[in-house]
Amino acid sequence: MAVIELKGVEKSFGSVKVIRGVDLKVEHGEFVVFVGPSGSGKSTLLRLVAGLEETSGGTILIDGRDVTNLGPAERELAMVFQSYALYPHKTIRGNMSFGLEVAGFPKDEIRQRVDEVARLLQLSDYLERKPRELSGGQRQRVAIGRAIVREPVAFMFDEPLSNLDAGLRVDMRIEITKLHQRLGATMIYVTHDQVEAMTLADRIVVLDKGIIQQTGSPLELYEHPANLFVAQFIGSPKMNVLPAAFKEGRISINGGVGIEAGKMTGTDVANVGIRPDDIEISPDGTGLIHGKVDVVERLGSDTFAYVAVPGAHAVTVRAPRDSAVAIGQDVGLTFRPERLQIFAVDGTSLRLRPGV
Amino acid sequence: MAIVSKTANSASFRNSRRWLTVALALYFIYTFIPIFYVIVSSTKSNADLFGTFGLWFSGDFHFWQNLQDLFTYQDGIFSRWLLNTILYSVVSGVGAALFATFAGYAFSKFEFVGKKLSFALVLGAVMIPQTALVIPIFLLLSKVGLVNTPWAVILPSLVFPPGVFLMKVYADDALSNELIEAGRVDGAGEVHIFFNIAFRLLTPGFATVLILAFVATWNNYFLPLVLLNSSDNFPVTVGLSQWYALATSGSGGAVLFSIVMAGSLVSIVPVIAAFLIMQRYWQGGLGAGGVKA
Amino acid sequence: MPDAVATRRRGRVYVTKSVAPYLFLLPFMALFIAFLIAPLCYAFGLSLFKTTMVAGTQFVGAANYLKVFTDPSFWDGVVLLFKFGLMQIPIMLGLALLYALILDSGRVYGRNFFRIAFFIPYAVPSVIAALLWGYLYGPSFGPFGQLAEFFHLPKPQFLLDGTILGSIANIAVWEFMGYNLIIYFAALQAIPQDLEEASSVDGATGLQYALRIKLPLIMPTVIVTIIFSIIGTLQLFSEPYLMRNLAPGIINSHYTPNFYAYTLAFTNQQYNYSAAVSFVLGGVVAVVSYVFMLLANRRAA
Ligand SMILES: Nc1ncnc2c1ncn2[C@@H]1O[C@H](COP(=O)(O)OP(=O)(O)O)[C@@H](O)[C@H]1O
Ligand SMILES: [Mg+2]
């Protein structure tokens, strides 16, 4: 278990700044997920922690020890890679033993530890096989097992599930959660998939363009996104965004009548956001805005309606599965004002909510 | 291949297949003439060599006699040449392949000061005419007393720039960065990672460079011609060419012709065998170099 | 990274990422410098001096180079190589391309057999190749001469003034066609299969597919092989050197520039002038390759 602390960490490749000053503290036993779009610098940040890249600025502390200038070996972390990075010429046992051999552990102890971890991960029957003789999910477990045997101070995961098919991905997600509960180890996990982030994390770190956009628990991010970027990145389907303006104590949505702004006084309101779950379809003529149903997707559990609203992007609505909504129908859209997110011109969230 | 046309009109497919195979066979005959000639000629006595049709066997099977002459002429110096060639080619081949593998790995997997410049120099080395190198190497090595020693051939042959290029391309493809990083996170040092992880995966590329460097030294002529002057150190190429010069100069060396033929055959058989045995490697390797270049 | 070049960690020498590339490059680069860079620099130094019996060795600056520029023995050789290259390279690469396309079309019997058979000459040392063809070319005892005699035809003359260059070119074609074929074949095999399916859906015949799709796609590879062939051609030495006795008077001691440099150094002991000749030849190689690349790029653009 370890506390990992980043202070003003920066990284440039040549003249390109990829990480622009990151401050973060990961507590003992915490499961932190870095999430963000492709190219946002998640992997780079993780690799900086692991010692696979050298920092261009700032310091990295592990349990209070400055490791900024130490190589990966001295940081005693373990990492699970996207491609699994299993040594193809070694058996599963050889893969899991390698780190311990390098560290000079006695043979008996290596054998014992590998056997134990193999049992934990249900790999005991495969120990003498080569990686290519295993399925994707099994390889993934070997990669995790290789990390566990070394009893590292913390685990790093870089998109470990993205090479698995959808079903297996869910299973492995659950296994990783269980593993975290059992080991109680500090884990940092990188993914571009916000569902993975929401389900796994104690705390999510949202990255964009090398800057932390927001840090918080999954629900905090969902309910109180710090800005438009986080609001749209977290949650599936995406939050709907409609143009808005502050007029005479009211917030007018998409040029319409608008709603009471309550205690809010800001004048630079530019957009409001509302999640598909928080919208209800009502008969034409009722509701805050109206539009025409463009597409209906029936997923079984839910029905998604995409409603064309003049002057705005199509609005996504999550309707009950037996909703009678039909293509071409003119509908009104209703939502509770306190569910609205309000964003300023620069995209930051205006925390005060109408009617609150 | 050509699935559509195969099913669409298979009569024309079979027809074109026949003609294209004939075109290949014609070139094959051309390719095979000199090789057939050396096989035929090495079975003939010196008299038959000139007195019978060159591209067919004569009644008198003189092959074993020629071999015996080859290995006994001038106190059996030919076997000495053969051993020299083997020594030079094996040592240079293994060394060149090993050093090229190290260097290609460094160029592929590391960032370091001077990487671009040094790689450009290695690539540019192919432009240099042999004489521009071999003559000054001769002069420099004669200063340190290495001329006319095996080192004079082996040391320059250890430098095999195409091998470095090939190994870089191969390592780019066959060795993922994540694998090396996994080794680093596992706590292994770079040398340990190279020998325990990387080298195993680079082995096919290594084998390719090994055979190419081996053959380059086996077939080399200009370098040993310049750097060696005592017959005892010659490789087969230089030795045979001297006998050949003697034979063609007309000054009583004509009896050498059949020996030269037998010697030619003996000297090409091991290389052809090596190529046949290791075809998987050189085909892939030459291809990679050509496609990526 | 720690300051120490290598730290000992639990009894094992531990080399860090920052020093590792230099360590891996060391053996090759040391030899590269010793046997490539150093000799080149040394030869360049040599080329700036002149050694005479009377005056000893003295610095003459560019004088040797100026002499090369007006030396007909050198330029005759260069002109000869141009003739040689313009004949040999198109034939060799044209055949290689043709046969690579044929092999890749899949419309042949014995594809693997032919591919490997065509490559075999590459395994034959150029010395032996020159020697074997030298026998074959022989007017009286060579099999072609024998055949002509048998049919009462005029004997083919491979070793005369007008034909010997073609005869040498033939040896080079024989030696290197298969090598280039292997390279083209690999490039052709790397073309994705679905292109062929797409083109046949578009109604293209096999021949059209080969000429209009495959050929342009492997053009970069073809250009690389042309450059390597130019470099190889301009270094011609072993074949004429070996055949000098077969055609005395025609193959003289400055038949090709490399031959000339060799003669200057080892027959005349004119190391300084020989070095200058080699460097000018290197310059010619670089200029011709560069001009060719410019032309190829302009064509492509
Ligand atoms: N070794 C490198 N050299 C140059 N640029 C790099 C390197 N590694 C990553 N980058 C760049 O840094 C940015 C962030 O990359 P990365 O951390 O891999 O993003 P993510 O994992 O979030 O998709 C990208 O624009 C990428 O192109
Ligand atoms: Mg990434």
Side-chain angles (χ1 to χ4, degrees):
Chain A
M1 285 221 278
V3 177
I4 298 170
E5 216 174 339
L6 310 185
K7 289 181 180 165
V9 169
E10 292 176 6
K11 175 67 184 177
S12 307
F13 290 110
S15 59
V16 185
K17 278 199 170 173
V18 172
I19 300 295
R20 304 153 179 263
V22 164
D23 294 291
L24 181 69
K25 189 170 182 189
V26 180
E27 301 291 348
H28 272 303
E30 198 179 15
F31 198 125
V32 168
V33 175
F34 296 169
V35 71
S38 172
S40 56
K42 310 174 296 283
S43 297
T44 306
L45 192 58
L46 189 77
R47 293 158 54 80
L48 286 167
V49 175
L52 291 169
E53 303 278 359
E54 281 135 71
T55 54
S56 312
T59 44
I60 299 173
L61 306 173
I62 296 180
D63 285 333
R65 180 172 69 127
D66 186 345
V67 298
T68 315
N69 295 315
L70 298 185
E74 285 114 316
R75 301 194 187 189
E76 295 178 355
L77 307 171
M79 183 143 169
V80 177
F81 295 87
Q82 179 173 357
S83 66
Y84 320 137
L86 300 181
Y87 311 126
H89 58 292
K90 291 184 189 285
T91 60
I92 302 313
R93 180 182 291 285
N95 268 277
M96 305 219 302
S97 308
F98 184 69
L100 297 176
E101 284 165 10
V102 169
F105 278 84
K107 282 215 163 57
D108 289 349
E109 187 177 349
I110 295 177
R111 172 161 281 275
Q112 193 188 327
R113 271 162 82 162
V114 169
D115 285 342
E116 201 173 302
V117 171
R119 208 168 315 123
L120 176 76
L121 294 171
Q122 292 143 39
L123 289 168
S124 304
D125 295 342
Y126 307 103
L127 281 174
E128 305 314 321
R129 295 205 194 167
K130 294 278 177 69
R132 66 168 173 279
E133 297 167 301
L134 265 54
S135 71
Q138 288 168 332
R139 285 182 215 179
Q140 185 57 74
R141 285 214 292 275
V142 176
I144 293 171
R146 179 171 69 180
I148 296 174
V149 280
R150 291 181 41 225
E151 297 177 0
V153 298
F155 290 83
M156 313 278 114
F157 296 87
D158 191 353
E159 312 231 6
L161 305 186
S162 55
N163 283 348
L164 299 177
D165 61 46
L168 209 49
R169 201 147 57 208
V170 174
D171 295 346
M172 284 305 297
R173 213 163 70 196
I174 292 166
E175 281 200 40
I176 290 176
T177 307
K178 282 193 205 156
L179 196 69
H180 178 238
Q181 283 162 0
R182 177 158 359 170
L183 300 175
T186 308
M187 295 187 174
I188 304 182
Y189 186 106
V190 161
T191 178
H192 65 272
D193 177 354
Q194 56 91 23
V195 176
E196 237 170 64
M198 298 288 281
T199 50
L200 284 169
D202 294 330
R203 198 149 56 101
I204 296 179
V205 174
V206 183
L207 276 172
D208 187 39
K209 301 189 176 82
I211 296 171
I212 293 185
Q213 302 292 323
Q214 190 174 3
T215 310
S217 72
L219 272 187
E220 259 167 46
L221 298 197
Y222 191 78
E223 306 254 317
H224 306 290
N227 55 38
L228 200 53
F229 177 82
V230 176
Q232 289 216 284
F233 194 79
I234 299 289
S236 172
K238 265 166 66 165
M239 179 185 275
N240 296 298
V241 175
L242 297 160
F246 187 83
K247 250 187 247 162
E248 298 150 11
R250 295 175 80 81
I251 292 170
S252 138
I253 300 170
N254 201 24
V257 211
I259 48 173
E260 275 294 330
K263 287 181 249 171
M264 228 181 75
T265 53
T267 51
D268 65 346
V269 172
N271 291 294
V272 295
I274 181 79
R275 298 215 179 262
D277 331 32
D278 294 330
I279 309 181
E280 269 170 41
I281 292 178
S282 52
D284 193 21
T286 64
L288 286 166
I289 48 178
H290 40 87
K292 199 190 213 39
V293 177
D294 218 2
V295 175
V296 176
E297 286 177 350
R298 296 190 184 276
L299 302 186
S301 57
D302 296 295
T303 297
F304 289 112
Y306 299 90
V307 180
V309 175
H313 288 292
V315 171
T316 311
V317 181
R318 187 201 294 261
R321 62 171 157 195
D322 53 357
S323 163
V325 61
I327 293 173
Q329 203 179 349
D330 287 309
V331 293
L333 299 176
T334 318
F335 37 81
R336 282 182 295 163
E338 69 269 23
R339 286 293 180 184
L340 280 181
Q341 304 283 341
I342 301 179
F343 301 103
V345 176
D346 66 359
T348 53
S349 204
L350 298 171
R351 272 306 170 85
L352 281 176
R353 294 178 165 198
V356 178
Chain B
M1 298 250 129
I3 298 154
V4 177
S5 38
K6 203 180 283 178
T7 49
N9 45 12
S10 62
S12 96
F13 178 82
R14 253 179 289 136
N15 206 14
S16 69
R17 181 167 178 166
R18 199 169 302 137
W19 285 113
L20 293 176
T21 307
V22 168
L24 289 170
L26 284 178
Y27 194 87
F28 173 73
I29 292 170
Y30 165 73
T31 297
F32 199 59
I33 285 175
I35 293 170
F36 184 65
Y37 181 72
V38 71
I39 295 171
V40 167
S41 299
S42 62
T43 67
K44 290 182 181 175
S45 69
N46 219 40
D48 283 353
L49 202 53
F50 297 102
T52 61
F53 178 52
L55 286 172
W56 199 247
F57 300 91
S58 66
D60 181 16
F61 190 76
H62 219 251
F63 180 67
W64 302 114
Q65 183 63 45
N66 285 340
L67 271 192
Q68 194 184 340
D69 291 348
L70 173 68
F71 283 100
T72 52
Y73 188 70
Q74 290 184 355
D75 300 328
I77 189 107
F78 184 81
S79 47
R80 181 76 198 242
W81 295 343
L82 203 56
L83 287 178
N84 287 339
T85 292
I86 292 170
L87 172 76
Y88 302 160
S89 316
V90 169
V91 176
S92 307
V94 172
L98 199 61
F99 297 160
T101 305
F102 289 159
Y105 177 70
F107 280 123
S108 171
K109 297 299 167 198
F110 294 87
E111 293 304 323
F112 52 91
V113 182
K115 174 169 163 173
K116 281 214 171 104
L117 175 74
S118 46
F119 195 61
L121 277 179
V122 172
L123 284 189
V126 294
M127 292 261 188
I128 303 165
Q130 278 196 331
T131 49
L133 278 178
V134 173
I135 294 170
I137 287 176
F138 168 78
L139 295 172
L140 286 173
L141 287 188
S142 50
K143 288 188 183 179
V144 291
L146 283 177
V147 160
N148 198 29
T149 67
W151 293 114
V153 174
I154 290 172
L155 288 175
S157 303
L158 290 174
V159 185
F160 190 58
V164 176
F165 174 72
L166 222 140
M167 285 315 297
K168 181 200 178 294
V169 170
Y170 195 82
D172 285 347
D173 263 13
L175 196 56
S176 79
N177 292 334
E178 287 195 349
L179 208 59
I180 295 165
E181 287 172 348
R184 287 184 188 141
V185 174
D186 269 344
E190 297 297 333
V191 172
H192 194 69
I193 290 174
F194 179 84
F195 284 105
N196 279 275
I197 299 169
F199 190 73
R200 295 293 297 270
L201 301 174
L202 295 176
T203 308
F206 172 82
T208 304
V209 176
L210 174 63
I211 179 156
L212 293 179
F214 172 87
V215 171
T217 309
W218 188 286
N219 291 354
N220 203 344
Y221 176 63
F222 193 63
L223 183 78
L225 175 71
V226 170
L227 288 166
L228 304 174
N229 49 41
S230 80
S231 187
D232 277 349
N233 286 328
F234 284 169
V236 168
T237 49
V238 177
L240 268 186
S241 76
Q242 287 213 336
W243 280 355
Y244 178 68
L246 216 60
T248 52
S249 66
S251 50
V255 290
L256 275 170
F257 274 117
S258 56
I259 295 181
V260 169
M261 277 300 162
S264 301
L265 185 66
V266 169
S267 74
I268 62 178
V269 165
V271 192
I272 293 178
F275 269 119
L276 289 181
I277 293 165
M278 297 181 74
Q279 33 168 307
R280 187 160 74 85
Y281 294 116
W282 54 260
Q283 291 196 26
L286 290 180
V291 174
K292 295 284 165 55
Chain C
M1 296 288 127
D3 293 332
V5 164
T7 50
R8 247 170 204 282
R9 195 164 168 276
R10 291 181 213 176
R12 193 175 255 134
V13 176
Y14 181 83
V15 177
T16 63
K17 190 176 147 189
S18 46
V19 294
Y22 301 106
L23 191 68
F24 287 127
L25 277 175
L26 184 69
F28 178 81
M29 276 301 168
L31 289 163
F32 187 77
I33 290 169
F35 292 99
L36 223 123
I37 306 287
L40 272 189
C41 295
Y42 180 68
F44 183 69
L46 277 182
S47 71
L48 302 177
F49 289 85
K50 186 171 186 168
T51 308
T52 54
M53 295 287 258
V54 191
T57 302
Q58 62 192 127
F59 182 79
V60 292
N64 284 326
Y65 288 94
L66 294 176
K67 191 171 151 201
V68 179
F69 282 119
T70 55
D71 184 347
S73 294
F74 175 76
W75 292 108
D76 286 353
V78 172
V79 169
L80 183 106
L81 287 183
F82 273 85
K83 283 194 219 158
F84 178 84
L86 286 174
M87 170 163 56
Q88 184 252 333
I89 296 175
I91 294 176
M92 172 180 74
L93 297 185
L95 283 171
L97 204 49
L98 175 71
Y99 282 115
L101 285 168
I102 292 178
L103 285 174
D104 184 61
S105 75
R107 300 178 174 211
V108 288
Y109 297 95
R111 182 160 88 160
N112 287 332
F113 169 79
F114 283 120
R115 191 173 63 209
I116 291 163
F118 288 2
F119 183 75
I120 292 295
Y122 183 72
V124 176
S126 56
V127 172
I128 308 287
L131 189 152
L132 292 178
W133 280 102
Y135 277 103
L136 290 168
Y137 288 151
S140 37
F141 302 113
F144 300 117
Q146 291 173 329
L147 272 181
E149 194 169 30
F150 183 78
F151 290 110
H152 303 288
L153 293 170
K155 284 189 177 178
Q157 297 295 342
F158 296 107
L159 299 171
L160 293 186
D161 205 2
T163 53
I164 191 154
L165 196 62
S167 303
I168 297 175
N170 171 59
I171 302 177
V173 170
W174 183 79
E175 281 183 275
F176 296 111
M177 196 291 275
Y179 174 85
N180 289 289
L181 180 144
I182 294 287
I183 291 174
Y184 293 159
F185 183 75
L188 288 169
Q189 294 275 296
I191 296 175
Q193 221 25 204
D194 45 4
L195 280 188
E196 173 162 24
E197 283 151 23
S199 89
S200 66
V201 170
D202 283 343
T205 64
L207 185 64
Q208 284 170 328
Y209 171 63
L211 296 182
R212 311 255 308 261
I213 313 279
K214 290 205 251 186
L215 200 54
L217 280 175
I218 66 161
M219 234 24 212
T221 304
V222 174
I223 287 173
V224 171
T225 58
I226 293 177
I227 289 173
F228 278 98
S229 301
I230 292 174
I231 294 170
T233 293
L234 291 174
Q235 304 205 27
L236 189 66
F237 174 78
S238 310
E239 292 84 354
Y241 183 74
L242 256 288
M243 292 171 74
R244 67 195 186 280
N245 286 341
L246 296 180
I250 301 172
I251 299 180
N252 53 36
S253 62
H254 51 86
Y255 192 69
T256 72
N258 259 346
F259 203 153
Y260 187 38
Y262 175 80
T263 310
L264 286 171
F266 296 107
T267 311
N268 307 355
Q269 315 292 319
Q270 291 177 298
Y271 295 116
N272 306 85
Y273 188 51
S274 164
V277 165
S278 296
F279 270 93
V280 177
L281 176 63
V284 172
V285 172
V287 167
V288 174
S289 312
Y290 184 72
V291 167
F292 173 76
M293 256 186 295
L294 276 190
L295 291 177
N297 283 342
R298 185 164 314 161
R299 260 297 198 53

